[in-house]
Short mmCIF file of all heavy atoms in Angstrom, two decimals:
data_model
loop_
_atom_site.label_atom_id
_atom_site.label_comp_id
_atom_site.label_asym_id
_atom_site.label_seq_id
_atom_site.Cartn_x
_atom_site.Cartn_y
_atom_site.Cartn_z
N PHE A 1540 -11.65 -2.27 22.43
CA PHE A 1540 -11.16 -3.19 23.45
C PHE A 1540 -10.57 -4.42 22.76
O PHE A 1540 -10.87 -4.71 21.60
CB PHE A 1540 -12.26 -3.59 24.43
CG PHE A 1540 -13.37 -4.39 23.83
CD1 PHE A 1540 -13.35 -5.80 23.83
CD2 PHE A 1540 -14.46 -3.76 23.25
CE1 PHE A 1540 -14.37 -6.52 23.27
CE2 PHE A 1540 -15.49 -4.49 22.70
CZ PHE A 1540 -15.46 -5.88 22.70
N TYR A 1541 -9.72 -5.15 23.50
CA TYR A 1541 -9.15 -6.41 23.03
C TYR A 1541 -9.79 -7.56 23.80
O TYR A 1541 -10.11 -7.43 24.99
CB TYR A 1541 -7.63 -6.45 23.25
CG TYR A 1541 -6.84 -5.59 22.30
CD1 TYR A 1541 -6.50 -4.29 22.65
CD2 TYR A 1541 -6.45 -6.08 21.07
CE1 TYR A 1541 -5.76 -3.50 21.77
CE2 TYR A 1541 -5.71 -5.30 20.18
CZ TYR A 1541 -5.37 -4.01 20.54
OH TYR A 1541 -4.65 -3.23 19.68
N ASP A 1542 -9.97 -8.69 23.12
CA ASP A 1542 -10.55 -9.87 23.76
C ASP A 1542 -9.80 -11.11 23.25
O ASP A 1542 -9.82 -11.39 22.06
CB ASP A 1542 -12.04 -9.99 23.43
CG ASP A 1542 -12.75 -11.01 24.33
OD1 ASP A 1542 -12.10 -12.02 24.67
OD2 ASP A 1542 -13.91 -10.80 24.68
N PRO A 1543 -9.15 -11.86 24.13
CA PRO A 1543 -8.36 -13.01 23.66
C PRO A 1543 -9.21 -14.21 23.26
O PRO A 1543 -8.73 -15.10 22.55
CB PRO A 1543 -7.47 -13.33 24.86
CG PRO A 1543 -8.25 -12.83 26.04
CD PRO A 1543 -8.99 -11.62 25.58
N LEU A 1545 -12.64 -14.05 22.01
CA LEU A 1545 -13.86 -13.71 21.27
C LEU A 1545 -13.98 -14.57 20.02
O LEU A 1545 -13.03 -14.73 19.25
CB LEU A 1545 -13.84 -12.23 20.88
CG LEU A 1545 -15.11 -11.66 20.26
CD1 LEU A 1545 -15.30 -10.21 20.69
CD2 LEU A 1545 -15.06 -11.72 18.74
N ALA A 1547 -17.44 -14.64 18.37
CA ALA A 1547 -18.61 -14.14 17.64
C ALA A 1547 -18.98 -12.78 18.18
O ALA A 1547 -18.71 -12.45 19.34
CB ALA A 1547 -19.79 -15.10 17.77
N TYR A 1549 -22.23 -9.56 17.82
CA TYR A 1549 -23.54 -9.17 17.28
C TYR A 1549 -23.94 -7.85 17.94
O TYR A 1549 -23.70 -7.64 19.15
CB TYR A 1549 -24.57 -10.25 17.58
CG TYR A 1549 -25.96 -9.96 17.08
CD1 TYR A 1549 -26.27 -10.07 15.73
CD2 TYR A 1549 -26.97 -9.58 17.96
CE1 TYR A 1549 -27.55 -9.81 15.27
CE2 TYR A 1549 -28.25 -9.32 17.52
CZ TYR A 1549 -28.54 -9.44 16.16
OH TYR A 1549 -29.81 -9.19 15.69
N LYS A 1555 -26.66 -2.63 21.85
CA LYS A 1555 -25.75 -3.34 22.72
C LYS A 1555 -24.83 -4.23 21.88
O LYS A 1555 -25.23 -4.75 20.84
CB LYS A 1555 -26.52 -4.21 23.73
CG LYS A 1555 -27.45 -3.44 24.64
CD LYS A 1555 -26.69 -2.54 25.61
CE LYS A 1555 -27.65 -1.86 26.59
NZ LYS A 1555 -26.93 -0.96 27.52
N ILE A 1556 -23.60 -4.40 22.34
CA ILE A 1556 -22.64 -5.26 21.66
C ILE A 1556 -22.58 -6.58 22.42
O ILE A 1556 -22.24 -6.61 23.61
CB ILE A 1556 -21.25 -4.61 21.61
CG1 ILE A 1556 -21.29 -3.28 20.86
CG2 ILE A 1556 -20.25 -5.55 20.91
CD1 ILE A 1556 -19.98 -2.53 20.88
N LEU A 1557 -22.93 -7.68 21.72
CA LEU A 1557 -22.83 -9.01 22.30
C LEU A 1557 -21.57 -9.69 21.78
O LEU A 1557 -21.32 -9.70 20.57
CB LEU A 1557 -24.05 -9.86 21.93
CG LEU A 1557 -25.44 -9.30 22.26
CD1 LEU A 1557 -26.50 -10.31 21.88
CD2 LEU A 1557 -25.55 -8.94 23.74
N THR A 1558 -20.78 -10.25 22.68
CA THR A 1558 -19.59 -10.98 22.26
C THR A 1558 -19.69 -12.41 22.76
O THR A 1558 -19.96 -12.64 23.96
CB THR A 1558 -18.31 -10.34 22.81
OG1 THR A 1558 -18.33 -10.36 24.24
CG2 THR A 1558 -18.17 -8.92 22.32
N GLY A 1559 -19.50 -13.36 21.86
CA GLY A 1559 -19.46 -14.76 22.25
C GLY A 1559 -18.03 -15.20 22.46
O GLY A 1559 -17.14 -14.88 21.66
N LYS A 1560 -17.79 -15.95 23.55
CA LYS A 1560 -16.44 -16.36 23.91
C LYS A 1560 -16.38 -17.88 24.03
O LYS A 1560 -17.41 -18.56 24.12
CB LYS A 1560 -16.02 -15.69 25.21
CG LYS A 1560 -16.02 -14.16 25.15
CD LYS A 1560 -15.92 -13.54 26.54
CE LYS A 1560 -14.61 -13.82 27.21
NZ LYS A 1560 -13.48 -13.18 26.51
N GLY A 1563 -18.69 -20.80 26.15
CA GLY A 1563 -20.11 -20.46 26.24
C GLY A 1563 -20.42 -19.20 27.01
O GLY A 1563 -21.55 -19.01 27.49
N LYS A 1564 -19.47 -18.29 27.14
CA LYS A 1564 -19.72 -17.04 27.86
C LYS A 1564 -20.11 -15.94 26.89
O LYS A 1564 -19.50 -15.78 25.84
CB LYS A 1564 -18.46 -16.63 28.64
CG LYS A 1564 -18.66 -15.39 29.50
CD LYS A 1564 -17.42 -15.09 30.33
CE LYS A 1564 -17.64 -13.87 31.22
NZ LYS A 1564 -16.44 -13.56 32.04
N ILE A 1565 -21.17 -15.19 27.23
CA ILE A 1565 -21.62 -14.05 26.44
C ILE A 1565 -21.46 -12.79 27.29
O ILE A 1565 -21.95 -12.72 28.42
CB ILE A 1565 -23.09 -14.20 26.01
CG1 ILE A 1565 -23.25 -15.44 25.11
CG2 ILE A 1565 -23.57 -12.95 25.27
CD1 ILE A 1565 -24.68 -15.71 24.74
N ARG A 1566 -20.74 -11.81 26.74
CA ARG A 1566 -20.61 -10.52 27.42
C ARG A 1566 -21.45 -9.48 26.70
O ARG A 1566 -21.57 -9.50 25.47
CB ARG A 1566 -19.14 -10.07 27.44
CG ARG A 1566 -18.27 -10.87 28.36
CD ARG A 1566 -17.02 -10.11 28.76
NE ARG A 1566 -16.30 -9.57 27.62
CZ ARG A 1566 -15.25 -8.75 27.73
NH1 ARG A 1566 -14.83 -8.38 28.93
NH2 ARG A 1566 -14.64 -8.31 26.66
N ILE A 1567 -22.02 -8.54 27.48
CA ILE A 1567 -22.85 -7.47 26.93
C ILE A 1567 -22.16 -6.14 27.24
O ILE A 1567 -21.84 -5.85 28.39
CB ILE A 1567 -24.26 -7.50 27.54
CG1 ILE A 1567 -24.90 -8.88 27.33
CG2 ILE A 1567 -25.14 -6.40 26.94
CD1 ILE A 1567 -26.20 -9.09 28.05
N LEU A 1568 -21.90 -5.35 26.17
CA LEU A 1568 -21.21 -4.08 26.32
C LEU A 1568 -22.05 -2.97 25.71
O LEU A 1568 -22.87 -3.20 24.81
CB LEU A 1568 -19.84 -4.11 25.63
CG LEU A 1568 -18.84 -5.19 26.04
CD1 LEU A 1568 -18.99 -6.43 25.16
CD2 LEU A 1568 -17.40 -4.66 25.95
N CYS A 1572 -17.92 0.56 24.83
CA CYS A 1572 -17.13 -0.66 25.05
C CYS A 1572 -16.95 -0.97 26.54
O CYS A 1572 -15.94 -1.56 26.96
CB CYS A 1572 -15.77 -0.58 24.35
SG CYS A 1572 -15.92 -0.49 22.55
N VAL A 1574 -18.37 -3.12 29.78
CA VAL A 1574 -19.15 -4.32 30.06
C VAL A 1574 -20.28 -3.99 31.04
O VAL A 1574 -20.03 -3.46 32.13
CB VAL A 1574 -18.25 -5.43 30.63
CG1 VAL A 1574 -19.08 -6.68 30.96
CG2 VAL A 1574 -17.12 -5.78 29.66
N THR A 1575 -21.52 -4.29 30.64
CA THR A 1575 -22.69 -4.02 31.49
C THR A 1575 -23.30 -5.28 32.07
O THR A 1575 -24.00 -5.23 33.07
CB THR A 1575 -23.76 -3.27 30.70
OG1 THR A 1575 -24.18 -4.07 29.58
CG2 THR A 1575 -23.22 -1.94 30.17
N ASP A 1576 -23.04 -6.46 31.45
CA ASP A 1576 -23.62 -7.71 31.95
C ASP A 1576 -22.90 -8.87 31.26
O ASP A 1576 -22.18 -8.69 30.27
CB ASP A 1576 -25.11 -7.76 31.65
CG ASP A 1576 -25.85 -8.77 32.54
OD1 ASP A 1576 -25.17 -9.44 33.36
OD2 ASP A 1576 -27.08 -8.90 32.41
N SER A 1577 -23.12 -10.07 31.78
CA SER A 1577 -22.57 -11.27 31.16
C SER A 1577 -23.48 -12.45 31.46
O SER A 1577 -24.21 -12.45 32.46
CB SER A 1577 -21.15 -11.55 31.67
OG SER A 1577 -21.16 -11.81 33.06
N VAL A 1578 -23.45 -13.46 30.57
CA VAL A 1578 -24.31 -14.64 30.69
C VAL A 1578 -23.45 -15.87 30.41
O VAL A 1578 -22.64 -15.86 29.47
CB VAL A 1578 -25.49 -14.58 29.70
CG1 VAL A 1578 -26.31 -15.86 29.78
CG2 VAL A 1578 -26.35 -13.36 29.96
N ILE A 1587 -18.76 -20.67 20.61
CA ILE A 1587 -19.87 -19.94 19.98
C ILE A 1587 -19.39 -19.45 18.63
O ILE A 1587 -18.50 -18.61 18.55
CB ILE A 1587 -20.32 -18.77 20.86
CG1 ILE A 1587 -20.85 -19.28 22.20
CG2 ILE A 1587 -21.39 -17.95 20.14
CD1 ILE A 1587 -21.21 -18.19 23.18
N LEU A 1590 -23.77 -15.57 16.85
CA LEU A 1590 -24.58 -15.13 17.98
C LEU A 1590 -25.58 -14.09 17.52
O LEU A 1590 -25.21 -13.14 16.80
CB LEU A 1590 -23.67 -14.54 19.07
CG LEU A 1590 -24.31 -13.92 20.30
CD1 LEU A 1590 -25.11 -14.97 21.08
CD2 LEU A 1590 -23.25 -13.29 21.19
N PHE A 1598 -31.26 -15.36 23.24
CA PHE A 1598 -30.04 -15.54 22.46
C PHE A 1598 -30.20 -16.72 21.51
O PHE A 1598 -30.67 -17.80 21.91
CB PHE A 1598 -28.82 -15.79 23.37
CG PHE A 1598 -28.57 -14.69 24.35
CD1 PHE A 1598 -28.71 -14.90 25.71
CD2 PHE A 1598 -28.20 -13.42 23.92
CE1 PHE A 1598 -28.49 -13.89 26.63
CE2 PHE A 1598 -27.96 -12.41 24.83
CZ PHE A 1598 -28.12 -12.63 26.18
#
Side-chain angles (χ1 to χ4, degrees):
F1540 66 92
Y1541 286 94
D1542 193 325
L1545 188 146
Y1549 180 75
K1555 300 292 185 181
I1556 300 175
L1557 305 183
T1558 61
K1560 300 166 66 66
K1564 184 176 182 180
I1565 298 176
R1566 289 202 309 173
I1567 304 172
L1568 304 91
C1572 296
V1574 179
T1575 60
D1576 200 358
S1577 63
V1578 177
I1587 298 175
L1590 175 63
F1598 302 114

